[in-house]
Coordinates of all heavy atoms in Angstrom, one line a residue:
M197 N 1.3 -30.4 -0.3 CA 0.0 -29.9 -1.0 C -1.2 -30.7 -0.4 O -0.9 -31.9 -0.2 CB 0.3 -30.2 -2.4 CG -0.7 -29.7 -3.4 SD -0.6 -27.8 -3.4 CE -1.9 -27.4 -4.5
P198 N -2.3 -30.1 -0.2 CA -3.4 -30.7 0.3 C -4.0 -31.8 -0.7 O -3.7 -31.7 -1.9 CB -4.4 -29.7 0.5 CG -3.8 -28.4 0.4 CD -2.5 -28.6 -0.3
N199 N -4.7 -32.7 -0.1 CA -5.4 -33.7 -1.0 C -6.8 -33.4 -1.4 O -7.3 -33.7 -2.4 CB -5.3 -35.1 -0.3 CG -4.0 -35.6 -0.2 OD1 -3.2 -35.4 -1.0 ND2 -3.7 -36.3 0.9
I200 N -7.4 -32.6 -0.3 CA -8.9 -32.3 -0.5 C -9.0 -31.2 -1.6 O -8.4 -30.2 -1.5 CB -9.5 -31.9 0.8 CG1 -9.3 -33.0 1.8 CG2 -10.9 -31.5 0.7 CD1 -9.6 -32.7 3.2
K201 N -10.0 -31.3 -2.4 CA -10.2 -30.3 -3.6 C -10.4 -28.9 -3.1 O -9.9 -28.0 -3.6 CB -11.5 -30.9 -4.3 CG -11.6 -30.1 -5.7 CD -12.7 -30.7 -6.4 CE -12.7 -30.0 -7.8 NZ -13.9 -30.4 -8.6
S202 N -11.2 -28.8 -2.1 CA -11.5 -27.4 -1.5 C -10.2 -26.8 -0.9 O -10.0 -25.6 -1.1 CB -12.6 -27.3 -0.5 OG -12.4 -28.1 0.6
A203 N -9.4 -27.6 -0.4 CA -8.1 -27.1 0.3 C -7.1 -26.8 -0.7 O -6.4 -25.8 -0.6 CB -7.5 -28.3 1.2
I204 N -7.1 -27.4 -1.8 CA -6.3 -27.2 -3.0 C -6.6 -25.8 -3.6 O -5.8 -24.9 -3.8 CB -6.4 -28.2 -4.1 CG1 -5.7 -29.6 -3.6 CG2 -5.6 -27.8 -5.4 CD1 -6.0 -30.8 -4.5
K205 N -7.9 -25.6 -3.7 CA -8.4 -24.3 -4.2 C -8.1 -23.2 -3.2 O -7.7 -22.1 -3.7 CB -10.0 -24.4 -4.4 CG -10.5 -23.1 -5.1 CD -12.0 -23.1 -5.3 CE -12.4 -21.9 -6.0 NZ -13.9 -21.8 -6.2
R206 N -8.2 -23.5 -2.0 CA -7.9 -22.4 -0.9 C -6.4 -21.9 -1.1 O -6.1 -20.7 -1.1 CB -8.3 -22.9 0.5 CG -9.6 -22.9 0.9 CD -10.3 -21.7 1.1 NE -9.8 -20.3 1.0 CZ -10.3 -19.3 0.4 NH1 -11.5 -19.4 -0.2 NH2 -9.7 -18.2 0.4
V207 N -5.5 -23.0 -1.3 CA -4.1 -22.7 -1.5 C -3.8 -21.8 -2.8 O -3.1 -20.8 -2.6 CB -3.3 -24.1 -1.5 CG1 -1.8 -23.7 -2.0 CG2 -3.3 -24.8 -0.3
K208 N -4.6 -22.1 -3.7 CA -4.4 -21.3 -5.0 C -5.0 -19.9 -4.9 O -4.4 -18.9 -5.2 CB -5.2 -22.0 -6.2 CG -4.4 -23.2 -6.7 CD -5.3 -24.0 -7.7 CE -4.6 -25.3 -8.2 NZ -5.4 -25.9 -9.2
V209 N -6.1 -19.8 -4.3 CA -6.9 -18.5 -4.0 C -6.0 -17.6 -3.2 O -5.8 -16.5 -3.3 CB -8.2 -18.7 -3.5 CG1 -9.0 -17.3 -3.0 CG2 -9.1 -19.3 -4.5
N210 N -5.4 -18.3 -2.0 CA -4.6 -17.5 -1.0 C -3.3 -16.9 -1.8 O -2.9 -15.9 -1.4 CB -4.3 -18.4 0.1 CG -5.4 -18.4 1.1 OD1 -6.3 -17.6 1.2 ND2 -5.4 -19.6 1.9
A211 N -2.7 -17.8 -2.6 CA -1.5 -17.4 -3.3 C -1.7 -16.2 -4.2 O -1.0 -15.2 -4.3 CB -1.0 -18.5 -4.1
K212 N -2.9 -16.3 -4.9 CA -3.3 -15.1 -5.8 C -3.5 -13.9 -5.0 O -3.0 -12.8 -5.4 CB -4.5 -15.5 -6.5 CG -4.7 -14.7 -7.8 CD -5.8 -15.3 -8.7 CE -6.0 -14.4 -9.9 NZ -7.2 -15.0 -10.8
A213 N -4.3 -14.0 -3.9 CA -4.6 -12.8 -3.0 C -3.3 -12.3 -2.4 O -3.1 -11.0 -2.3 CB -5.6 -13.2 -1.9
N214 N -2.4 -13.1 -2.0 CA -1.2 -12.7 -1.4 C -0.3 -11.9 -2.4 O 0.3 -10.9 -2.1 CB -0.4 -14.0 -0.8 CG 0.9 -13.5 -0.1 OD1 0.9 -12.4 0.6 ND2 1.9 -14.3 -0.3
E215 N -0.3 -12.4 -3.6 CA 0.3 -11.7 -4.7 C -0.1 -10.3 -4.8 O 0.5 -9.3 -5.0 CB 0.4 -12.5 -5.9 CG 1.2 -12.0 -7.1 CD 2.6 -11.9 -6.9 OE1 3.2 -12.8 -6.1 OE2 3.3 -11.0 -7.5
A216 N -1.4 -10.1 -5.0 CA -2.1 -8.9 -5.2 C -2.0 -8.0 -4.1 O -1.7 -6.8 -4.3 CB -3.7 -9.1 -5.4
N217 N -2.0 -8.6 -2.9 CA -1.8 -7.7 -1.7 C -0.4 -7.2 -1.6 O -0.2 -6.0 -1.2 CB -2.2 -8.4 -0.4 CG -3.6 -8.6 -0.3 OD1 -4.5 -7.9 -0.9 ND2 -4.0 -9.6 0.5
S218 N 0.6 -8.0 -1.9 CA 2.0 -7.6 -1.9 C 2.2 -6.5 -2.9 O 3.0 -5.5 -2.5 CB 2.8 -8.9 -2.2 OG 2.8 -9.8 -1.2
Q219 N 1.7 -6.6 -4.1 CA 1.9 -5.6 -5.0 C 1.2 -4.2 -4.6 O 1.8 -3.1 -4.8 CB 1.3 -6.1 -6.4 CG 2.1 -7.1 -7.1 CD 1.5 -7.5 -8.5 OE1 0.5 -7.1 -8.8 NE2 2.1 -8.4 -9.1
A220 N 0.0 -4.3 -4.1 CA -0.5 -3.1 -3.7 C 0.1 -2.4 -2.6 O 0.3 -1.2 -2.6 CB -2.0 -3.4 -3.2
K221 N 0.7 -3.2 -1.6 CA 1.4 -2.6 -0.5 C 2.7 -2.1 -0.9 O 3.1 -0.9 -0.5 CB 1.6 -3.7 0.6 CG 1.9 -3.2 1.9 CD 1.9 -4.3 3.0 CE 2.0 -3.7 4.4 NZ 1.9 -4.8 5.4
S222 N 3.4 -2.7 -1.8 CA 4.6 -2.2 -2.5 C 4.3 -1.0 -3.2 O 5.2 0.0 -3.1 CB 5.1 -3.3 -3.3 OG 6.4 -2.8 -3.9
A223 N 3.2 -0.8 -4.0 CA 3.0 0.4 -4.6 C 2.8 1.5 -3.8 O 3.2 2.6 -4.0 CB 1.8 0.1 -5.6
M224 N 2.2 1.2 -2.7 CA 1.9 2.3 -1.6 C 3.1 2.7 -1.0 O 3.4 3.9 -1.0 CB 1.0 1.7 -0.4 CG 0.7 2.7 0.6 SD 0.4 2.1 2.2 CE 1.9 1.1 2.6
R225 N 4.0 1.9 -0.7 CA 5.3 2.2 -0.1 C 6.1 3.0 -1.1 O 6.8 4.1 -0.8 CB 6.1 1.0 0.3 CG 5.6 0.4 1.5 CD 6.6 -0.8 1.9 NE 6.1 -1.6 2.9 CZ 6.0 -3.0 2.8 NH1 6.4 -3.6 1.9 NH2 5.5 -3.6 3.9
T226 N 6.1 2.8 -2.4 CA 6.9 3.4 -3.4 C 6.3 4.8 -3.6 O 7.1 5.8 -3.7 CB 6.8 2.7 -4.7 OG1 7.2 1.3 -4.5 CG2 7.6 3.3 -5.8
A227 N 5.1 5.0 -3.5 CA 4.3 6.3 -3.7 C 4.7 7.2 -2.6 O 5.0 8.4 -2.8 CB 2.8 6.1 -3.8
V228 N 4.7 6.7 -1.4 CA 5.1 7.4 -0.2 C 6.6 7.8 -0.3 O 6.9 9.0 0.0 CB 4.9 6.7 1.1 CG1 5.3 7.3 2.3 CG2 3.4 6.4 1.3
K229 N 7.3 6.9 -0.7 CA 8.8 7.2 -0.8 C 9.1 8.3 -1.8 O 9.9 9.1 -1.6 CB 9.6 6.0 -1.1 CG 11.0 6.0 -0.9 CD 11.8 4.7 -1.1 CE 11.5 3.7 -0.1 NZ 12.3 2.4 -0.2
K230 N 8.4 8.2 -3.0 CA 8.7 9.2 -4.1 C 8.1 10.5 -3.5 O 8.9 11.6 -3.8 CB 7.9 8.7 -5.3 CG 8.4 7.7 -6.2 CD 7.6 7.5 -7.4 CE 8.3 6.5 -8.4 NZ 7.6 6.2 -9.5
A231 N 7.0 10.5 -2.8 CA 6.6 11.9 -2.4 C 7.5 12.5 -1.3 O 7.8 13.6 -1.4 CB 5.2 11.7 -1.6
E232 N 8.0 11.7 -0.4 CA 9.1 12.2 0.6 C 10.3 12.6 -0.1 O 10.8 13.7 0.3 CB 9.4 11.0 1.6 CG 8.2 10.7 2.5 CD 8.5 9.6 3.6 OE1 9.5 8.9 3.3 OE2 7.8 9.6 4.5
Q233 N 10.9 12.1 -1.1 CA 12.0 12.4 -1.9 C 11.8 13.7 -2.7 O 12.5 14.5 -2.6 CB 12.5 11.2 -2.8 CG 13.1 10.2 -2.0 CD 13.4 9.0 -3.0 OE1 13.0 8.9 -4.2 NE2 14.1 7.9 -2.5
A234 N 10.6 13.8 -3.2 CA 10.2 15.0 -3.9 C 10.1 16.2 -3.0 O 10.6 17.3 -3.4 CB 8.9 14.8 -4.7
L235 N 9.7 16.0 -1.7 CA 9.5 17.1 -0.8 C 10.9 17.5 -0.3 O 11.2 18.7 -0.2 CB 8.6 16.6 0.4 CG 7.1 16.6 0.1 CD1 6.4 15.9 1.2 CD2 6.5 18.0 -0.1
T236 N 11.7 16.5 0.0 CA 13.2 16.9 0.4 C 13.9 17.6 -0.6 O 14.7 18.5 -0.4 CB 13.8 15.7 1.0 OG1 14.0 14.7 -0.2 CG2 13.2 15.1 2.2
A237 N 13.8 17.2 -2.0 CA 14.4 17.8 -3.1 C 13.8 19.2 -3.4 O 14.3 19.9 -4.3 CB 14.4 16.8 -4.2
G238 N 12.5 19.3 -3.1 CA 11.8 20.6 -3.4 C 11.4 20.6 -5.0 O 11.5 21.6 -5.6
A239 N 11.0 19.4 -5.3 CA 10.5 19.2 -6.8 C 9.2 20.0 -7.0 O 8.5 20.3 -6.1 CB 10.4 17.7 -7.0
E240 N 9.1 20.2 -8.4 CA 7.9 21.1 -8.7 C 6.6 20.3 -8.5 O 5.5 20.7 -8.1 CB 8.0 21.4 -10.2 CG 9.1 22.4 -10.4 CD 9.4 22.6 -11.9 OE1 8.5 22.1 -12.7 OE2 10.4 23.2 -12.3
N241 N 6.7 18.9 -8.9 CA 5.5 18.1 -8.7 C 5.4 17.5 -7.3 O 4.6 16.4 -7.3 CB 5.6 17.1 -9.9 CG 6.6 16.2 -9.7 OD1 7.6 16.4 -9.0 ND2 6.7 15.0 -10.4
A242 N 6.0 18.0 -6.3 CA 5.9 17.4 -5.0 C 4.5 17.3 -4.5 O 4.1 16.2 -3.9 CB 6.7 18.1 -4.0
Q243 N 3.6 18.4 -4.8 CA 2.3 18.3 -4.2 C 1.4 17.2 -4.8 O 0.7 16.6 -4.2 CB 1.7 19.6 -4.4 CG 0.6 19.9 -3.5 CD 0.9 19.8 -2.0 OE1 1.9 20.3 -1.6 NE2 0.0 19.3 -1.2
E244 N 1.7 17.1 -6.1 CA 0.9 16.0 -6.9 C 1.3 14.6 -6.4 O 0.4 13.7 -6.2 CB 1.3 16.0 -8.4 CG 0.8 17.3 -9.0 CD 1.3 17.4 -10.5 OE1 1.8 16.3 -11.0 OE2 1.3 18.5 -11.0
L245 N 2.6 14.4 -6.1 CA 3.0 13.1 -5.5 C 2.5 12.8 -4.2 O 2.2 11.7 -3.8 CB 4.6 13.1 -5.5 CG 5.2 13.0 -6.9 CD1 6.7 13.0 -6.8 CD2 4.9 11.7 -7.6
V246 N 2.4 14.0 -3.4 CA 1.8 13.8 -2.1 C 0.4 13.3 -2.1 O -0.1 12.4 -1.4 CB 2.0 15.1 -1.2 CG1 1.1 15.1 0.1 CG2 3.4 15.4 -0.9
V247 N -0.3 13.9 -3.1 CA -1.8 13.4 -3.2 C -1.9 12.1 -3.7 O -2.7 11.2 -3.2 CB -2.5 14.5 -4.3 CG1 -3.7 14.0 -4.6 CG2 -2.6 15.9 -3.7
A248 N -1.0 11.7 -4.6 CA -1.0 10.3 -5.1 C -0.7 9.3 -4.0 O -1.2 8.2 -3.8 CB 0.0 10.2 -6.3
A249 N 0.3 9.6 -3.2 CA 0.7 8.9 -2.0 C -0.4 8.7 -1.0 O -0.7 7.7 -0.5 CB 1.9 9.4 -1.3
S250 N -1.1 9.9 -0.7 CA -2.2 9.9 0.1 C -3.3 8.9 -0.4 O -3.9 8.2 0.5 CB -2.7 11.2 0.4 OG -3.9 11.3 1.2
K251 N -3.7 9.0 -1.6 CA -4.6 8.0 -2.2 C -4.2 6.7 -2.1 O -5.1 5.7 -1.8 CB -4.8 8.5 -3.7 CG -5.9 7.8 -4.4 CD -6.1 8.4 -5.8 CE -7.2 7.6 -6.5 NZ -7.3 8.1 -7.9
A252 N -3.0 6.3 -2.2 CA -2.4 5.0 -2.3 C -2.5 4.4 -0.9 O -2.9 3.3 -0.6 CB -1.0 4.9 -2.7
V253 N -2.3 5.3 0.2 CA -2.3 4.9 1.6 C -3.8 4.6 1.8 O -4.1 3.6 2.7 CB -1.8 6.0 2.5 CG1 -2.1 5.9 3.9 CG2 -0.3 6.2 2.3
D254 N -4.7 5.4 1.5 CA -6.1 5.2 1.6 C -6.7 3.9 1.1 O -7.5 3.2 1.7 CB -7.0 6.4 1.2 CG -6.9 7.6 2.1 OD1 -6.8 7.5 3.3 OD2 -7.3 8.8 1.6
K255 N -6.1 3.7 -0.1 CA -6.6 2.5 -0.9 C -6.1 1.2 0.0 O -6.8 0.2 0.2 CB -6.0 2.3 -2.3 CG -6.8 2.9 -3.2 CD -6.2 2.5 -4.5 CE -7.3 2.7 -5.7 NZ -6.8 2.3 -7.0
A256 N -4.8 1.2 0.5 CA -4.3 0.2 1.3 C -5.0 -0.1 2.6 O -5.2 -1.2 3.1 CB -2.9 0.4 1.6
A257 N -5.4 1.0 3.3 CA -6.2 1.0 4.5 C -7.5 0.5 4.2 O -7.9 -0.3 5.0 CB -6.2 2.2 5.1
G258 N -8.1 0.8 3.1 CA -9.5 0.3 2.7 C -9.4 -1.2 2.5 O -10.4 -1.9 2.8
K259 N -8.4 -1.7 1.9 CA -8.2 -3.1 1.6 C -7.8 -3.9 2.9 O -7.8 -5.2 2.9 CB -7.2 -3.3 0.6 CG -7.8 -2.9 -0.7 CD -6.8 -3.1 -1.9 CE -7.3 -2.7 -3.3 NZ -6.4 -2.9 -4.4
G260 N -7.4 -3.2 4.0 CA -7.0 -3.9 5.1 C -5.5 -4.4 5.1 O -5.2 -5.1 5.9
L261 N -4.8 -3.7 4.2 CA -3.3 -4.0 4.2 C -2.6 -3.4 5.2 O -1.5 -3.9 5.7 CB -2.8 -3.6 2.7 CG -3.4 -4.3 1.5 CD1 -2.8 -3.7 0.2 CD2 -3.3 -5.7 1.6
I262 N -3.0 -2.2 5.6 CA -2.4 -1.5 6.8 C -3.5 -1.1 7.7 O -4.7 -0.9 7.3 CB -1.6 -0.4 6.3 CG1 -2.3 0.6 5.6 CG2 -0.3 -0.8 5.7 CD1 -1.5 2.0 5.3
H263 N -3.3 -0.8 8.9 CA -4.3 -0.3 9.9 C -4.6 1.0 9.7 O -3.8 1.8 9.1 CB -3.6 -0.4 11.3 CG -4.7 -0.5 12.3 ND1 -5.1 0.8 12.9 CD2 -5.3 -1.4 13.0 CE1 -6.1 0.5 13.8 NE2 -6.3 -0.8 13.9
K264 N -5.9 1.4 9.9 CA -6.4 2.8 9.6 C -5.6 3.8 10.3 O -5.4 5.0 9.9 CB -7.9 2.9 9.8 CG -8.2 2.7 11.2 CD -9.7 3.0 11.5 CE -10.0 3.0 13.0 NZ -11.3 3.5 13.2
N265 N -5.1 3.5 11.6 CA -4.2 4.5 12.3 C -3.0 4.7 11.7 O -2.4 5.8 11.7 CB -4.2 4.0 13.7 CG -5.6 4.2 14.5 OD1 -6.4 4.7 13.9 ND2 -5.6 3.8 15.7
A266 N -2.3 3.6 11.1 CA -1.1 3.6 10.4 C -1.3 4.5 9.2 O -0.3 5.2 8.8 CB -0.6 2.3 10.1
A267 N -2.4 4.4 8.4 CA -2.6 5.2 7.3 C -2.7 6.6 7.6 O -2.2 7.5 7.0 CB -3.9 4.7 6.6
A268 N -3.3 6.9 8.7 CA -3.6 8.4 9.2 C -2.3 9.0 9.6 O -2.0 10.1 9.3 CB -4.7 8.4 10.4
R269 N -1.5 8.1 10.3 CA -0.1 8.6 10.7 C 0.7 9.0 9.6 O 1.4 10.1 9.5 CB 0.5 7.5 11.7 CG 1.8 8.0 12.1 CD 2.3 6.9 13.1 NE 2.5 5.7 12.6 CZ 2.0 4.6 12.8 NH1 1.0 4.5 13.9 NH2 2.2 3.4 12.2
T270 N 0.7 8.0 8.6 CA 1.6 8.3 7.3 C 1.2 9.5 6.6 O 2.0 10.3 6.2 CB 1.4 7.0 6.5 OG1 1.8 5.9 7.1 CG2 2.3 7.2 5.1
K271 N -0.2 9.6 6.4 CA -0.7 10.8 5.7 C -0.4 12.1 6.5 O -0.1 13.1 5.9 CB -2.2 10.6 5.4 CG -2.7 9.7 4.4 CD -4.2 9.3 4.5 CE -4.9 10.6 4.3 NZ -6.3 10.3 4.1
S272 N -0.5 12.0 7.8 CA -0.2 13.3 8.6 C 1.2 13.7 8.5 O 1.6 14.8 8.4 CB -0.5 12.9 10.0 OG -0.2 14.0 10.9
R273 N 2.1 12.6 8.5 CA 3.6 13.0 8.4 C 3.8 13.6 7.1 O 4.6 14.5 6.9 CB 4.4 11.7 8.6 CG 4.4 11.3 10.1 CD 5.1 10.1 10.3 NE 5.2 9.6 11.7 CZ 5.5 8.4 12.1 NH1 6.0 7.6 11.1 NH2 5.5 8.1 13.4
L274 N 3.1 13.0 6.0 CA 3.4 13.6 4.6 C 2.9 15.0 4.6 O 3.6 15.9 4.0 CB 2.6 12.7 3.5 CG 3.5 11.6 3.0 CD1 2.6 10.8 1.9 CD2 4.7 12.1 2.2
A275 N 1.7 15.2 5.1 CA 1.2 16.6 5.1 C 2.1 17.6 5.8 O 2.1 18.8 5.4 CB -0.3 16.5 5.7
K276 N 2.6 17.2 6.9 CA 3.3 18.0 7.8 C 4.7 18.4 7.0 O 5.1 19.6 7.0 CB 3.8 17.2 9.0 CG 4.3 18.0 10.2 CD 4.4 17.2 11.4 CE 4.9 18.0 12.6 NZ 5.0 17.3 13.8
K277 N 5.3 17.4 6.3 CA 6.4 17.7 5.6 C 6.1 18.6 4.3 O 7.0 19.5 4.0 CB 7.1 16.4 4.9 CG 7.8 15.6 6.1 CD 8.2 14.3 5.5 CE 8.8 13.4 6.6 NZ 9.4 12.1 6.2
A278 N 4.9 18.5 3.8 CA 4.5 19.4 2.7 C 4.2 20.7 3.2 O 4.4 21.8 2.5 CB 3.3 18.8 2.0

């Protein structure tokens, strides 16, 4: 643990940001996985899940959690399956 006050604060802020980023990225992955499973199963709400997953991917890309090209690729693959 650092001794300098500003360094201590940075450690706390970084930990908090890391937690938030991890949750957002996990939520994105979950949304994509649910959409893919719904598409393979032929569920009624598959299209809604694809839209939700696409939105989650866009949010993650906007926050810099994933690269914009990775987001585009993921959305393209989902749309192709739909």
Side-chain angles (χ1 to χ4, degrees):
M197 193 69 181
N199 294 326
I200 299 168
K201 190 173 184 180
S202 60
I204 292 170
K205 183 175 180 182
R206 287 288 356 136
V207 168
K208 291 178 183 177
V209 170
N210 286 337
K212 193 172 183 181
N214 185 34
E215 181 68 27
N217 289 339
S218 297
Q219 287 180 357
K221 200 167 185 179
S222 176
M224 180 209 61
R225 288 188 188 128
T226 303
V228 170
K229 196 176 287 187
K230 280 184 181 179
E232 287 176 346
Q233 288 174 348
L235 286 170
T236 55
E240 299 170 3
N241 63 343
Q243 201 59 38
E244 296 170 18
L245 291 173
V246 169
V247 171
S250 180
K251 188 175 177 182
V253 168
D254 280 338
K255 266 190 168 182
K259 292 180 179 181
L261 300 178
I262 60 172
H263 195 274
K264 65 176 186 170
N265 290 354
R269 182 175 62 244
T270 304
K271 288 171 56 176
S272 175
R273 286 177 180 167
L274 270 177
K276 197 173 182 182
K277 289 177 184 175

